[in-house]
Amino acid sequence: MTVSPRIAIDAMGGDIGPAAIVAGMARARRKDKKLHFDIYGDRKAIEAELKKQTGLDGAVTIHHADDTIGASEKPSQAIRRAKTTSMGMAINAVKDGVAHAALSGGNTGALMAMSKLALRTMPGIDRPALAALLPSLEHDLVMLDLGANTECDAQNLVQFAVMGAAYSRTVLGIEKPKVKLLNIGTEELKGTEELKDAAAMLREADYLPFKFDGFTEGDKLARGDIDVVVCDGFSGNVALKTAEGTARFVTDLLRRAFTSSLRSKAGFALSKPALNLLKVHLDPNNHNGAVFLGLNGLVVKSHGGANPKGVANAIGVAARMVRNDITNKIATDLDEFRAHAFAGADK
Amino acid sequence: MTVSPRIAIDAMGGDIGPAAIVAGMARARRKDKKLHFDIYGDRKAIEAELKKQTGLDGAVTIHHADDTIGASEKPSQAIRRAKTTSMGMAINAVKDGVAHAALSGGNTGALMAMSKLALRTMPGIDRPALAALLPSLEHDLVMLDLGANTECDAQNLVQFAVMGAAYSRTVLGIEKPKVKLLNIGTEELKGTEELKDAAAMLREADYLPFKFDGFTEGDKLARGDIDVVVCDGFSGNVALKTAEGTARFVTDLLRRAFTSSLRSKAGFALSKPALNLLKVHLDPNNHNGAVFLGLNGLVVKSHGGANPKGVANAIGVAARMVRNDITNKIATDLDEFRAHAFAGADK
């Protein structure tokens, strides 16, 4: 067990710049005194932000980077500048064994492409996946893939299930997570061939440290009775963004309703403390920490617009994954899956 | 123009049974005195419900049906009982020219399978699609396909765009609807090959009575600046159900917040009239009227749990489509699309 997680931070990623990131590091360190940060980006800007924070003395190593990856830059262009950009250098720190995990709030496509190229997929994984936390009525659930792969076969989906369950175990502490496949119906005959094949394979794999529980539909995700939901990157991305858009839509309607009359404005004022609870529950900063799983090294994607609390939460996710050695957990589960599959084929 | 729409109603479909359906018919007729209904189902149950309503005299023809399709019955079993079930008989009324449209709140899979078999796809359409209305901040938008086809090629998506635009024009009265394709990014290079090919074809088809406006993502659907969103049936179903689930999740959180303290309960009481506006906006009964498009005849799917207002809204959708001759509008647009495509190929 690694007791002192060392996190490589891209100071220049994200919409707000180094201010939110350095403040998030300080916030994370106040909770977890063993953290060490390698921070990559403009030295002067970083030093200016560090002066505003306390509690980071001796916990930060600054690495100057001349260049940054733009928010709309194409991944194919970004990968050529791995050695000179704050994002590329943070990822390389993981590759070179300097850091245990990299964290960036920058361009997702570039981060994914650079991470894949530098860290390569781990043995037994055909494609890495982007996993994130979604709020529900009970606890957060892990969802993957969220856009790394537009099309997936049954093997990919099974591997995502193994990786998502490892996320749930290491970060949320759920011993035997309940895993479901996202489908357009819950009957066994519903959906694509890939989904039906993946379900058949997962049903057999009852020796793995999670419980496969069949199909689920988009309307049941937020109920709180699922720990991990697995899907291809296209429908995962559609579901995640539709959930975000709908939550915003309903709260917009709520705002309109509350400002529609003097009476309802008074009601709003009275209900404010309660409504703040709703805001806390839906705030993406409280569910920050999307992760690229399936690489030989950890890369965490923070929301581009994350505030210091959001950055601190993403750092917390990275630290828990490092301490609980998620990469090895995934490798072990995959070995077991393959051993059983081969044993089955021999019969 | 057909001035007296004749609608074939499945009295036995839906979770509530004939009561909500007959009450919905009465409600629809009060608004539209030209409607005529052919109603299929248990004669005694229908007659009992008709006695409770006024304004339906001379507007209803009852056709007794011994049998009904169960909610969980497999489509492959249902199609064998087309002649004896209320659902099958209502669809056959359209096939036989007795009615202009059929309406059922029953088993969606069975309704789709029976409709396809009885009515066949119209010339120029490879696959019918399920279209429905979604609420947004401005007006309802049309979304299709919502589950009739798990996988779609570029041609299918182009045909869905033509059909969805015809829905928007005939039912919502939007002269030149803005049509978008659902994708996981808005850049031209994003998404599957099918989506990129469909976008290229739609960009060329600027002579059609709608405006193709590129890609959209799940988080932008409810903003109110899209009239028609086109997607394959898998991601459409995922998006629709995730939106429903998230709206319920947020309102559940809201309810929890409002009952968390005496103070917030008082605030809730004060804000109630305003919050009812939110409820009205999100109530699926106000957006009822999913339609199978692309068949030689109209079939409307009402929500299984629709109340009389919901049933009346679905009848209204059917009547507007009949009066505005949506099937012919689709046929004309498809002819134009093919004429241009052939002219292009000759160059």
Side-chain angles (χ1 to χ4, degrees):
Chain A
M1 191 200 249
T2 314
V3 282
S4 304
R6 207 168 164 137
I7 321 273
I9 308 259
D10 169 12
M12 315 309 281
D15 314 335
I16 309 172
I21 290 163
V22 174
M25 285 161 50
R27 201 180 165 111
R29 187 94 200 315
R30 280 197 289 276
K31 278 196 199 163
D32 183 349
K33 297 275 186 282
K34 303 240 173 191
L35 292 176
H36 184 93
F37 301 105
D38 287 277
I39 183 163
Y40 297 81
D42 183 82
R43 181 179 295 273
K44 277 189 185 164
I46 294 168
E47 282 173 346
E49 293 304 329
L50 279 171
K51 273 186 197 144
K52 299 179 195 163
Q53 304 296 333
T54 55
L56 282 172
D57 294 342
V60 181
T61 311
I62 305 176
H63 305 261
H64 178 72
D66 272 325
D67 205 1
T68 57
I69 302 290
S72 56
E73 208 164 322
K74 281 189 188 158
S76 54
Q77 291 173 337
I79 50 173
R80 289 183 217 143
R81 295 190 292 121
K83 287 190 179 164
T84 54
T85 52
S86 55
M87 184 188 280
M89 287 166 73
I91 296 167
N92 281 337
V94 178
K95 181 185 172 189
D96 300 339
V98 172
H100 299 107
L103 184 145
S104 174
N107 183 327
T108 310
L111 185 65
M112 188 150 50
M114 285 174 127
S115 301
K116 260 168 96 167
L117 196 69
L119 302 173
R120 306 275 165 190
T121 48
M122 55 186 288
I125 293 290
D126 298 310
R127 293 177 181 195
L130 181 61
L133 296 173
L134 254 76
S136 85
L137 281 175
E138 304 306 325
H139 55 75
D140 281 5
L141 72 149
V142 177
M143 186 163 182
L144 74 170
D145 176 30
L146 294 170
N149 314 282
T150 44
E151 277 152 301
C152 296
D153 64 21
Q155 283 284 356
N156 298 146
L157 294 170
V158 169
Q159 291 165 10
F160 296 172
V162 168
M163 299 196 291
Y167 189 144
S168 181
R169 288 157 64 210
T170 55
V171 175
L172 305 178
I174 296 167
E175 209 175 311
K176 194 163 182 165
K178 198 198 262 185
V179 177
K180 288 186 175 245
L181 285 167
L182 184 65
N183 201 343
I184 60 171
T186 50
E187 306 86 355
E188 277 192 29
L189 288 166
K190 283 273 179 171
T192 59
E193 289 310 312
E194 292 78 20
L195 278 169
K196 284 181 252 183
D197 290 348
M201 286 191 239
L202 287 168
R203 238 174 258 124
E204 299 265 304
D206 56 359
Y207 44 84
L208 288 176
F210 59 83
K211 180 181 162 26
F212 175 64
D213 198 38
F215 297 132
T216 187
E217 294 172 276
D219 55 341
K220 294 173 189 83
L221 297 180
R223 281 193 191 167
D225 60 346
I226 308 174
D227 299 310
V228 180
V229 63
V230 172
C231 49
D232 68 88
F234 193 93
S235 34
N237 192 286
V238 164
L240 178 74
K241 285 183 181 157
T242 303
E244 286 173 2
T246 308
R248 205 179 313 123
F249 168 56
V250 177
T251 47
D252 282 352
L253 286 179
L254 196 63
R255 196 170 303 122
R256 279 194 191 181
F258 272 128
T259 51
S260 63
S261 72
L262 206 62
R263 180 178 157 163
S264 57
K265 275 183 198 163
F268 176 70
L270 260 180
S271 317
K272 204 142 195 248
L275 292 170
N276 283 341
L277 286 179
L278 174 75
K279 223 170 138 187
V280 166
H281 206 108
L282 292 177
D283 183 353
N285 285 301
N286 294 327
H287 317 277
N288 199 13
V291 183
F292 294 119
L293 293 174
L295 299 172
N296 295 305
L298 278 174
V299 179
V300 173
K301 168 72 177 76
S302 174
H303 278 289
N307 64 19
K309 187 170 69 170
V311 173
N313 278 332
I315 291 171
V317 164
R320 278 195 293 281
M321 286 190 165
V322 168
R323 284 209 174 89
N324 290 291
D325 205 2
I326 187 171
T327 309
N328 265 325
K329 280 210 168 61
I330 293 172
T332 308
D333 293 350
L334 284 173
D335 281 348
E336 189 147 2
F337 179 72
R338 278 177 300 177
H340 274 81
F342 281 124
D346 285 349
K347 270 184 231 162
Chain B
M1 192 200 249
T2 313
V3 283
S4 304
R6 208 167 163 138
I7 321 275
I9 309 260
D10 170 12
M12 314 310 280
D15 313 334
I16 310 172
I21 290 163
V22 174
M25 284 160 52
R27 201 180 166 112
R29 187 96 200 315
R30 281 197 289 275
K31 276 197 199 163
D32 183 348
K33 297 275 187 283
K34 304 242 173 190
L35 292 176
H36 184 92
F37 301 106
D38 287 277
I39 183 162
Y40 297 81
D42 183 81
R43 182 180 294 275
K44 276 189 187 164
I46 294 168
E47 281 173 348
E49 293 304 329
L50 279 171
K51 273 187 197 145
K52 299 180 195 163
Q53 303 296 333
T54 55
L56 282 173
D57 294 343
V60 181
T61 311
I62 305 176
H63 306 261
H64 179 71
D66 272 326
D67 204 2
T68 57
I69 302 290
S72 56
E73 208 164 321
K74 281 189 189 159
S76 53
Q77 292 173 335
I79 50 172
R80 289 183 215 143
R81 296 190 292 120
K83 286 188 181 164
T84 54
T85 53
S86 55
M87 186 188 280
M89 287 165 74
I91 296 168
N92 281 335
V94 178
K95 181 186 173 189
D96 299 338
V98 172
H100 299 107
L103 183 144
S104 174
N107 183 326
T108 311
L111 185 65
M112 189 150 52
M114 285 174 128
S115 302
K116 261 169 95 166
L117 196 69
L119 302 173
R120 306 274 166 190
T121 49
M122 54 186 289
I125 293 289
D126 297 311
R127 292 178 182 195
L130 181 61
L133 296 172
L134 256 76
S136 84
L137 280 175
E138 304 305 326
H139 55 75
D140 281 5
L141 74 148
V142 177
M143 187 163 181
L144 75 169
D145 176 29
L146 293 171
N149 313 282
T150 44
E151 277 153 301
C152 298
D153 64 21
Q155 283 284 355
N156 297 146
L157 295 170
V158 169
Q159 291 165 10
F160 296 172
V162 167
M163 300 196 290
Y167 188 145
S168 181
R169 287 157 64 209
T170 55
V171 175
L172 305 178
I174 295 167
E175 210 175 310
K176 194 162 182 165
K178 197 198 263 187
V179 177
K180 289 186 176 245
L181 285 167
L182 184 65
N183 200 344
I184 60 170
T186 51
E187 306 86 354
E188 278 193 28
L189 289 167
K190 283 274 180 173
T192 59
E193 289 310 312
E194 292 78 20
L195 278 169
K196 284 182 250 182
D197 290 348
M201 286 190 240
L202 287 167
R203 236 173 259 125
E204 298 264 304
D206 56 359
Y207 44 84
L208 287 175
F210 59 84
K211 181 180 162 27
F212 174 64
D213 199 38
F215 296 132
T216 187
E217 294 172 276
D219 55 342
K220 294 173 190 83
L221 297 179
R223 280 194 192 167
D225 60 346
I226 309 175
D227 299 310
V228 179
V229 64
V230 172
C231 49
D232 68 89
F234 194 94
S235 35
N237 192 286
V238 165
L240 178 74
K241 285 182 180 157
T242 303
E244 285 173 2
T246 308
R248 206 178 312 122
F249 168 55
V250 177
T251 47
D252 282 352
L253 285 179
L254 195 63
R255 196 170 302 122
R256 279 194 190 180
F258 271 128
T259 52
S260 63
S261 72
L262 206 63
R263 178 178 157 161
S264 56
K265 275 184 199 163
F268 175 71
L270 259 180
S271 317
K272 204 140 194 249
L275 291 171
N276 283 342
L277 286 178
L278 174 75
K279 223 170 137 187
V280 167
H281 206 108
L282 292 178
D283 183 353
N285 285 301
N286 295 326
H287 317 276
N288 198 12
V291 183
F292 294 119
L293 293 173
L295 299 173
N296 295 305
L298 279 174
V299 179
V300 173
K301 169 70 176 77
S302 174
H303 278 289
N307 63 19
K309 187 169 70 171
V311 173
N313 278 332
I315 292 171
V317 165
R320 278 195 293 281
M321 287 189 165
V322 168
R323 285 208 172 91
N324 290 291
D325 204 2
I326 187 172
T327 309
N328 265 325
K329 281 209 167 64
I330 293 172
T332 309
D333 293 350
L334 284 174
D335 281 348
E336 188 147 4
F337 179 72
R338 278 178 300 177
H340 273 80
F342 281 123
D346 286 348
K347 268 182 231 163

